[in-house]
Amino acid sequence: MSQIYARVALIGLGLIAGSMGLAMRRAGLAGEIVGTARSAETRAVALERGLVDRVTETAAEAVAGADLVVLAVPVGVMGELAAEIADHLAPGATVTDVGSVKQAVVAAVGPHVPEGVHFVPGHPLAGTEHSGPHSGFAELFRNRFTLLIAEDDTDPSAVDRLTRLWQGMGANVEVMDAPHHDLVLAVTSHTPHLIAYTMVGVADDMRRVTDQEVIKYSAAGFRDFTRIAASDPTMWRDVFLTNKEATLEILGRFTEELFALQRAIRTGDGSHLFDYFTRTRAIRRGIIEAGQDTDAPDFGRGGAKT
Ligand code: NAP
């Protein structure tokens, strides 16, 4: 694979940036990768693990001379970081991000991107419940989608170049607008996470009643919820604070369906339950057929990674 950017700056060196650094280095997609993070410890681990070629103490130093800048920090701090780097961006550079929410990032970062610098927000639909500089791995994006956001005035060549970078890291790339992204993700990721957090919270309350039995006899359904509910608290707090409308819309629909199922259980309406579960089973088959998961008993996790 040939080099796509001469210098990439990674702002934040956690799961996503670390995986990008490893994937880019392995495929030779960047001439040099410079990184920065809030703590000296994270920066040291990033160097030690070879996530980047070089680290800097500040984001302003990291972006100097970079032709691609990746904001890979929690969504809630992207705006302030964009303000910090604005005066240091090279003309013609592209700024992108990997945040799980897109409208809020566009609103927070967009105004700081100077004339002559491209802004192409992005979101890799790949992750695990682990975070920090030790958690990244080069294969994270393989056969996963990365969604890029383009507006009418976005330079197509900047989108094309970033598309080739993500493809070089193994991802399938699609372009869409930010509101659509946020609605799709509210259905496929954000609301399911909230439900998992809730279920594990309920079980935790029960555990106090049932003397640890929830943990001891943890069955597949609950175990899968606990994995999702172990995801990074900062990241997920920011997701719900910033994708408020779409999440509330989907939660409203979820609650209606839940009441319908609750009524079916109460009234003994077996055919309602059976038909519902038949329909949902087909969705699982569709995901497996689309190559986005496997039907192995551990859901293809092979340990902790999804
Ligand atoms: P992570 O592993 O927790 O890493 C976050 C990084 O951001 C850390 O290196 C942290 O530095 C740095 N950071 C935090 N606040 C900062 C600040 N104020 N200034 C500079 N650096 C700061 O997070 P992640 O999972 O890679 O997530 C990064 C982004 O990707 C988030 O926006 C998230 O929504 C998105 N995303 C996550 C997933 C997922 O499954 N995890 C999937 C797709 C997209 P320290 O280590 O020094 O604190």
Side-chain angles (χ1 to χ4, degrees):
M1 196 85 55
S2 57
Q3 184 178 308
I4 295 170
Y5 293 97
R7 185 182 297 168
V8 175
L10 298 175
I11 314 297
L13 292 166
L15 171 70
I16 302 295
S19 300
M20 289 181 75
L22 292 172
M24 286 189 282
R25 289 187 90 181
R26 190 167 71 176
L29 303 170
E32 187 191 25
I33 304 173
V34 186
T36 191
R38 194 166 41 169
S39 67
E41 193 191 335
T42 295
R43 298 195 294 266
V45 173
L47 266 186
E48 202 177 285
R49 287 199 65 208
L51 308 179
V52 293
D53 299 305
R54 179 160 73 80
V55 292
T56 64
E57 271 185 36
T58 67
E61 289 170 84
V63 306
D67 45 4
L68 179 69
V69 174
V70 184
L71 301 174
V73 294
V75 170
V77 295
M78 286 198 187
E80 67 191 62
L81 271 167
E84 207 177 305
I85 62 174
D87 292 341
H88 306 272
L89 294 165
T94 293
V95 173
T96 188
D97 77 294
V98 295
S100 307
V101 169
K102 295 277 61 88
Q103 287 175 104
V105 169
V106 170
V109 174
H112 298 292
V113 178
E115 195 74 20
V117 171
H118 307 288
F119 179 37
V120 185
H123 179 199
L125 305 188
T128 74
E129 66 278 25
H130 303 294
S131 53
H134 289 287
S135 57
F137 55 103
E139 297 78 22
L140 179 64
F141 309 113
R142 179 165 300 159
N143 201 29
R144 300 288 175 181
F145 280 102
T146 290
L147 305 178
L148 298 182
I149 307 301
E151 312 278 344
D152 291 344
D153 57 353
T154 311
D155 182 348
S157 67
V159 178
D160 180 62
R161 198 169 167 199
L162 189 57
T163 298
R164 284 188 284 119
L165 180 81
W166 279 107
Q167 286 170 339
M169 293 188 284
N172 305 313
V173 178
E174 293 210 350
V175 180
M176 61 176 62
D177 64 46
H180 188 66
H181 167 279
D182 288 357
L183 184 62
V184 170
L185 266 291
V187 180
T188 58
S189 170
H190 303 167
T191 309
H193 271 79
L194 198 69
I195 293 163
Y197 280 123
T198 314
M199 192 57 230
V200 176
V202 169
D204 186 48
D205 289 342
M206 291 294 295
R207 187 175 56 139
R208 294 181 195 133
V209 180
T210 59
D211 193 20
Q212 301 288 335
E213 280 179 315
V214 169
I215 303 286
K216 188 171 166 193
Y217 300 124
S218 171
F222 178 65
R223 266 207 318 262
D224 285 346
F225 275 136
T226 60
R227 185 182 61 79
I228 297 171
S231 300
D232 189 67
T234 306
M235 169 184 159
W236 285 95
R237 178 202 59 197
D238 286 1
V239 165
F240 294 116
L241 292 180
T242 55
N243 197 18
K244 196 167 165 177
E245 269 174 40
T247 309
L248 289 177
E249 161 68 20
I250 302 307
L251 263 182
R253 288 169 185 247
F254 175 82
T255 314
E256 284 171 23
E257 298 278 313
L258 192 62
F259 278 140
L261 289 173
Q262 197 175 335
R263 193 176 55 237
I265 293 170
R266 192 187 312 284
T267 60
D269 187 349
S271 63
H272 180 92
L273 296 174
F274 185 84
D275 291 348
Y276 203 94
F277 301 157
T278 304
R279 184 153 65 89
T280 54
R281 185 179 230 191
I283 294 187
R284 170 84 197 149
R285 290 210 189 100
I287 290 171
I288 292 163
E289 275 161 29
Q292 293 300 303
D293 210 341
T294 79
D295 60 359
D298 69 347
F299 298 103
R301 227 165 271 141
K305 312 248 160 79
T306 46

